[in-house]
Amino acid sequence: MKKLMALRREEVPVAVAALLVTAALNVLLVQSYPAMFTRGGKLGFWTIFYKHFCVSGFDAYSYIYLSNEQIYFELTRHPLFAAVLWPLYALNQWLMPLTGTNWAVYLMAAALVLSATAAAVTVFRIFRRVMETGYADALLLTATFFSFASIMLTVMVPDHFCFSLLMLSLTLYIAGRLMKERKPLRAWQTALLFLFTAGITLSNGVKVGIASLFANGRRTFGPKFFAVAFVVPLLIMGALAYGQYTGIIRPQAARSERLEKIHMAKDSNFVKRHEAHNRWLKANQGKAVADKPLLKWTDVTTPRGKSLVENLFGESIQLHRDYLLKDASQSRPTFVEYRHTYSYIVEFAVVALFVLGLWCGRGSRFVWLCMSCAGFDLLLHFVLGFGLNEVYIMGAHWMLVVPVAYACLLKGLRPKFATATRLLLLGLTLFLWAYNGTLIVGHFIQ
């Protein structure tokens, strides 16, 4: 823990830059909110936040939880997220009566800035201490990673993705260091990583299992190791989830159902809006395997090829100007095309360098670890169709593999070709920071 917390001298500029940039992005978002977002008291926080927050497909459920401890995110997918946020909820409940202000947006912004800064330092460490790139290359690749649209939004929106990014990058860093030093990933280390990684986003727990396989091999399936590393954390998550379900969600759901029936009986416009929204979803989203927990997020009809071009390697990397930051469940169609050909040229360059980097790194076990984790996401999104209609908001779960491949490319090329590639990466990075940054700043200032 001391080694993880201690900053080396070369890491200080990364931490300062990340702190300043992510703080600026969060200030930009918070200043765009209406006054009702900071109004304290016993209010209808669901209506305040859900109806007036719209950034791509990201959710503001954390604001609601910090305001009144009501849970609206899927407990089966995020069993520990409420527990992670609980100290901020408790602090807000102490501050709100004293000040008459709801501090949820400010507390969440502070948590995002800290998480994003820690994630930036961890990503930099992956390049320096695991992949052993030069200092300038590590800075460039870290900047490249955070220039991607999905990552830029992840560090400023009040969703779980920024916390997932921190835990996933930390998992890859720890596993990569231990693999390099030929040391095992101990059961208690795996248990802590699994508890918080899977607790924030359940599916990401699989990646901790993959990291353990790469670091420990068959020892991962030993009865004692498996029980300590995976069974105990699952029992803790299950107990916490059950407590939240019985203490918060079940009475909350009964109360919401009762109020909705009263509302629908009294307000015909509410019924019309509800029906119109359902028609929109049916017309613009793919068909799920079944309308059941977890399965309702699958998709068997949305075209995979176009999703790959316009969303996975499109919107995740560079935003579309049309329907900018609109929500696919409300007003944005599943596919939006770029206005100009140069956007597709940029996308091709990003993907081509990525593929070449994977080829150069084909002998690296760490690259195979990163690709195995990203492959699990591709299985979820493109085979099962999980969240496929808004796959571009989930870049924090897999996009680190792209600059990792770039690092292999820079190390695998001859010096003169490596220099040309650095210049190309620098150009792409500056373009993406300028392009995505301009669109984001312009959107929230307006």
Side-chain angles (χ1 to χ4, degrees):
M1 288 301 297
K2 287 176 70 175
K3 288 181 180 179
L4 285 174
M5 297 294 291
L7 280 177
R8 292 186 176 184
R9 181 176 296 179
E10 67 175 18
E11 296 167 351
V12 173
V14 179
V16 172
L19 185 70
L20 293 176
V21 172
T22 55
L25 289 172
N26 277 273
V27 168
L28 176 70
L29 182 63
V30 170
Q31 65 81 34
S32 72
Y33 291 152
M36 68 179 76
F37 275 32
T38 55
R39 192 178 300 155
K42 294 184 178 181
L43 306 171
F45 292 110
W46 163 265
T47 302
I48 289 174
F49 292 117
Y50 181 79
K51 286 191 175 182
H52 298 93
F53 179 90
C54 180
V55 181
S56 295
F58 297 102
D59 296 320
Y61 295 151
S62 59
Y63 287 162
I64 303 173
Y65 178 80
L66 295 183
S67 302
N68 60 9
E69 207 183 15
Q70 298 297 290
I71 297 176
Y72 289 98
F73 45 81
E74 291 280 340
L75 200 60
T76 52
R77 292 168 55 197
H78 314 289
L80 208 65
F81 191 40
V84 171
L85 294 178
W86 190 87
L88 300 181
Y89 159 76
L91 179 58
N92 194 33
Q93 293 308 298
W94 177 69
L95 288 171
M96 201 185 302
L98 291 176
T99 62
T101 299
N102 183 5
W103 291 81
V105 298
Y106 304 115
L107 293 172
M108 193 64 186
L112 289 169
V113 170
L114 291 176
S115 297
T117 302
V121 172
T122 306
V123 169
F124 176 80
R125 286 177 176 176
I126 287 173
F127 297 127
R128 284 292 280 158
R129 303 194 203 176
V130 177
M131 306 200 71
E132 295 185 326
T133 63
Y135 181 66
D137 283 347
L139 289 175
L140 172 60
L141 294 169
T142 304
T144 301
F145 177 61
F146 283 91
S147 73
F148 298 154
S150 179
I151 307 303
M152 201 178 291
L153 290 172
T154 288
V155 302
M156 62 189 295
V157 293
D159 211 321
H160 69 277
F161 290 101
C162 189
F163 304 100
S164 289
L165 173 62
L166 173 59
M167 291 310 305
L168 289 171
S169 58
L170 192 62
T171 298
L172 290 174
Y173 171 67
I174 292 173
R177 286 280 293 175
L178 292 174
M179 287 163 57
K180 187 179 176 195
E181 297 170 5
R182 299 185 181 278
K183 294 179 180 178
L185 183 62
R186 299 183 182 276
W188 68 267
Q189 294 171 319
T190 309
L192 283 175
L193 290 172
F194 184 76
L195 177 64
F196 287 100
T197 303
I200 294 170
T201 304
L202 188 63
S203 59
N204 284 336
V206 173
K207 298 168 188 177
V208 178
I210 293 172
S212 178
L213 280 172
F214 272 84
N216 301 323
R218 288 180 295 178
R219 181 170 173 262
T220 298
F221 298 106
K224 183 178 178 181
F225 184 96
F226 193 84
V228 172
F230 301 108
V231 176
V232 171
L234 281 173
L235 291 174
I236 294 172
M237 284 187 279
L240 285 170
Y242 181 76
Q244 293 167 37
Y245 175 75
T246 55
I248 300 175
I249 291 182
R250 191 160 60 187
Q252 170 188 313
R255 185 169 59 253
S256 297
E257 185 178 356
R258 184 173 65 254
L259 292 174
E260 185 175 344
K261 287 181 179 179
I262 295 172
H263 201 174
M264 292 183 76
K266 291 183 176 180
D267 189 351
S268 60
N269 289 328
F270 176 80
V271 177
K272 291 178 181 178
R273 289 194 300 270
H274 185 72
E275 292 174 348
H277 180 62
N278 288 337
R279 286 195 299 270
W280 165 267
L281 292 177
K282 188 175 181 180
N284 290 276
Q285 295 188 354
K287 184 179 179 181
V289 173
D291 188 19
K292 295 187 180 193
L294 296 181
L295 291 178
K296 67 182 179 181
W297 298 97
T298 58
D299 187 333
V300 295
T301 57
T302 298
R304 269 48 177 176
K306 201 164 185 180
S307 295
L308 195 70
V309 173
E310 299 295 350
N311 291 339
L312 187 75
F313 286 115
E315 183 84 357
S316 297
I317 305 278
Q318 49 183 336
L319 298 169
H320 291 85
R321 290 182 181 274
D322 297 317
Y323 298 95
L324 179 62
L325 303 185
K326 297 297 183 182
D327 193 334
S329 65
Q330 295 179 20
S331 58
R332 184 193 190 274
T334 302
F335 301 117
V336 180
E337 296 183 354
Y338 291 106
R339 295 180 184 180
H340 305 290
T341 305
Y342 70 76
S343 295
Y344 293 102
I345 295 174
V346 170
E347 181 177 341
F348 175 79
V350 169
V351 175
L353 292 174
F354 173 51
V355 173
L356 289 173
L358 289 179
W359 177 255
C360 291
R362 64 190 183 279
S364 167
R365 292 183 70 237
F366 182 72
V367 172
W368 279 102
L369 166 59
C370 294
M371 274 304 296
S372 298
C373 293
F376 174 71
D377 283 299
L378 291 177
L379 172 67
L380 284 179
H381 299 314
F382 281 83
V383 177
L384 299 176
F386 180 86
L388 184 60
N389 66 308
E390 52 181 15
V391 68
Y392 45 82
I393 72 171
M394 303 179 190
H397 292 166
W398 68 272
M399 292 190 78
L400 184 55
V401 72
V402 177
V404 164
Y406 292 166
C408 295
L409 181 61
L410 294 177
K411 292 179 68 176
L413 291 174
R414 293 178 181 178
K416 63 178 181 180
F417 294 116
T419 300
T421 304
R422 284 187 187 92
L423 292 174
L424 178 57
L425 279 174
L426 178 60
L428 286 172
T429 301
L430 292 175
F431 168 79
L432 289 173
W433 269 105
Y435 176 84
N436 292 323
T438 300
L439 290 179
I440 289 171
V441 171
H443 177 82
F444 289 115
I445 285 179
Q446 292 173 5

